[in-house]
Amino acid sequence: MGVLSLVVVVLTAMMLSLQLRRVITHRALLNARQSAEVDMQLAVGLFFPPAPLDGDRVALGSQGATGGSLFSNPVVRKRVLSATAWTLDGKVAYSTERGAIGTTEVLPATARRAASGTALATVAEASRVRNDNFTEDLLQGSSKVLVVDMPFSLTGSGPPQVVIEFTQPYAPIAAAVRHDTLMVFGWLAGGLLLLYLGLFRLVAAASQTMRRQSEVNRHLAMHDSLTGLANRGLLTNRVAKALAAAAKQGRTVALLLMDLDHFKEINDTLGHHHGDELLRLVGPRLRQELREGDTVARLGGDEFVVLLPDAGDEAGALAVADRLRAALSQPFDVEGVSLDVGSSIGLAVTSGDGDTVQGLLRHADVAMYAAKSSGLGVRVYEPAQEVDRARARLGS
């Protein structure tokens, strides 16, 4: 989740960066165009001094005087590389490339678009500069120039009659873009870093909560909700693994199914609360008599099962059953009330011939019934007990 939030933040930063760079570049070009328009207003009066119009023909100014006047301004000279003025039919009315004045040429695409009445600012190669005095050092380290084309009406109203084009160094504009971009990106990076840290903490906390809840859910799915002992599902899984290991290693697996004596009377006399508290105490009491690898499970009601994955032999399993029964015979202190609880235990051990989980559980259940009905406390499964159990069920 932390990686996912980082990816989201990075993608967001990339999209914002692209958009912000476009906005910053557009703003820089707009500022440069507005600055060029101010210079062009000055140029119009220099290129085309007041003079009577000969029909629709534009009167040309004195190229020497106009050029000198325009570039005598140090501010203009620093930011204008070249200037060209065309009439709409493509005739060069003025140019800092003196040999082009008076010639007719095809208007550049940007000049044609500007002739429709809209000023344009575009970035082009340095070859667009038309100036007899042009040198590479005027580009200020960049190979690009800004080209500004603007239409003018010499009569002050009506449709445009000329288009003036200025070329300017792009290096100052690029530097301004870099400066603004770095400043904005710095703030953006800092903000997104704080956002990511906040998101990371939230996501980490949510992930930790989800992991804990998942662990709780897994535990609840495999454990008895009242006692916290293994439930039937977990017991079945562990018995299956024990049987598989025993088949490979030649070990004996034993199941001890036990039923508490007099539990119904305790529930009826003291109430279910005392009965539940008694059931919670059974697991720890049994665990004290078992090894680390043994399992204690509750099947439901007052029935408990102990799995011995390595019982040794039947005699060893019987010894464990006797210890467990003795432990359960000791009084239980339930909220100040001493309760004596006996138990009946049925023992089933593997025979090494096609043992199954359900078969072992059934054998233990049959043996437990035999122990309870005989009053002997502990009984080992024998096939003859199946008949007695079947008769008892039919009789009931």
Side-chain angles (χ1 to χ4, degrees):
M1 294 293 287
V3 174
L4 179 60
S5 63
L6 177 60
V7 171
V8 171
V9 170
V10 170
L11 291 177
T12 302
M14 291 176 62
M15 290 187 291
L16 286 175
S17 298
L18 292 174
Q19 183 62 27
L20 287 172
R21 185 171 180 82
R22 281 195 293 265
V23 171
I24 291 171
T25 302
H26 175 74
R27 187 184 67 180
L29 292 176
L30 179 62
N31 291 339
R33 193 194 75 184
Q34 292 172 343
S35 176
E37 288 175 0
V38 173
D39 295 334
M40 286 182 177
Q41 295 291 341
L42 172 63
V44 169
L46 295 174
F47 295 163
F48 308 103
L53 298 177
D54 184 4
D56 294 330
R57 188 165 53 83
V58 177
L60 304 182
S62 170
Q63 65 183 45
T66 56
S69 299
L70 177 64
F71 287 94
S72 63
N73 186 319
V75 176
V76 174
R77 185 168 62 248
K78 181 178 180 180
R79 65 189 181 200
V80 176
L81 297 173
S82 66
T84 304
W86 294 277
T87 58
L88 299 189
D89 58 2
K91 190 169 186 177
V92 180
Y94 175 79
S95 176
T96 47
E97 185 181 31
R98 295 170 180 260
I101 298 176
T103 64
T104 301
E105 56 191 30
V106 177
L107 289 176
T110 53
R112 289 198 302 271
R113 291 175 61 188
S116 64
T118 303
L120 296 175
T122 56
V123 180
E125 297 296 328
S127 57
R128 193 68 173 268
V129 178
R130 304 178 64 171
N131 191 333
D132 294 332
N133 299 318
F134 172 71
T135 57
E136 292 289 337
D137 61 297
L138 296 175
L139 295 175
Q140 303 179 31
S142 175
S143 62
K144 304 289 185 179
V145 294
L146 178 69
V147 180
V148 180
D149 292 271
M150 188 170 181
F152 284 97
S153 172
L154 300 180
T155 60
S157 62
Q161 295 165 306
V162 295
V163 176
I164 298 178
E165 178 178 285
F166 275 7
T167 60
Q168 297 178 302
Y170 186 67
I173 300 172
V177 170
R178 284 194 301 272
H179 175 270
D180 291 351
T181 300
L182 288 174
M183 182 177 65
V184 171
F185 282 14
W187 284 103
L188 176 63
L192 289 176
L193 178 59
L194 292 176
L195 174 62
Y196 171 70
L197 292 176
L199 286 176
F200 183 80
R201 291 187 62 185
L202 289 175
V203 171
S207 298
Q208 189 175 16
T209 301
M210 291 175 63
R211 283 195 298 270
R212 284 199 299 265
Q213 187 59 49
S214 178
E215 291 171 359
V216 169
N217 292 340
R218 283 197 299 270
H219 185 272
L220 291 176
M222 289 295 176
H223 292 79
D224 177 58
S225 59
L226 176 64
T227 63
L229 299 174
N231 61 12
R232 184 180 293 272
L234 181 55
L235 175 68
T236 299
N237 180 272
R238 290 185 177 178
V239 172
K241 291 181 177 179
L243 290 176
K248 294 179 180 179
Q249 302 171 13
R251 296 187 309 201
T252 299
V253 177
L255 274 185
L256 294 81
L257 177 60
M258 58 196 69
D259 181 86
L260 301 183
D261 297 333
H262 315 301
F263 181 73
K264 184 176 184 302
E265 290 84 345
I266 293 173
N267 257 346
D268 293 342
T269 303
L270 300 178
H272 290 285
H273 173 70
H274 280 74
D276 289 346
E277 290 302 314
L278 171 62
L279 293 176
R280 291 190 180 97
L281 296 175
V282 170
R285 181 76 63 87
L286 295 176
R287 172 55 59 192
Q288 292 175 358
E289 305 297 329
L290 299 172
R291 297 167 301 184
E292 183 67 27
D294 300 335
T295 297
V296 180
R298 179 183 177 225
L299 296 186
D302 61 340
E303 286 190 342
F304 293 82
V305 176
V306 170
L307 165 65
L308 305 177
D310 187 7
D313 53 22
E314 182 179 299
L318 270 172
V320 173
D322 289 337
R323 291 202 308 270
L324 295 179
R325 188 164 183 270
L328 292 177
S329 67
Q330 298 299 316
F332 287 89
D333 184 359
V334 179
E335 296 186 353
V337 179
S338 180
L339 300 177
D340 291 320
V341 180
S343 62
S344 299
I345 301 177
L347 171 62
V349 296
T350 53
S351 62
D353 183 21
D355 295 298
T356 64
V357 175
Q358 295 306 321
L360 206 59
L361 281 170
R362 185 174 60 81
H363 290 173
D365 181 64
V366 171
M368 187 272 292
Y369 176 81
K372 184 176 284 289
S373 59
S374 66
L376 296 178
V378 178
R379 290 291 300 272
V380 180
Y381 170 77
E382 297 174 0
Q385 296 167 354
E386 300 273 8
V387 178
D388 297 336
R389 182 66 185 275
R391 288 174 179 171
R393 286 180 175 176
L394 290 174
S396 63

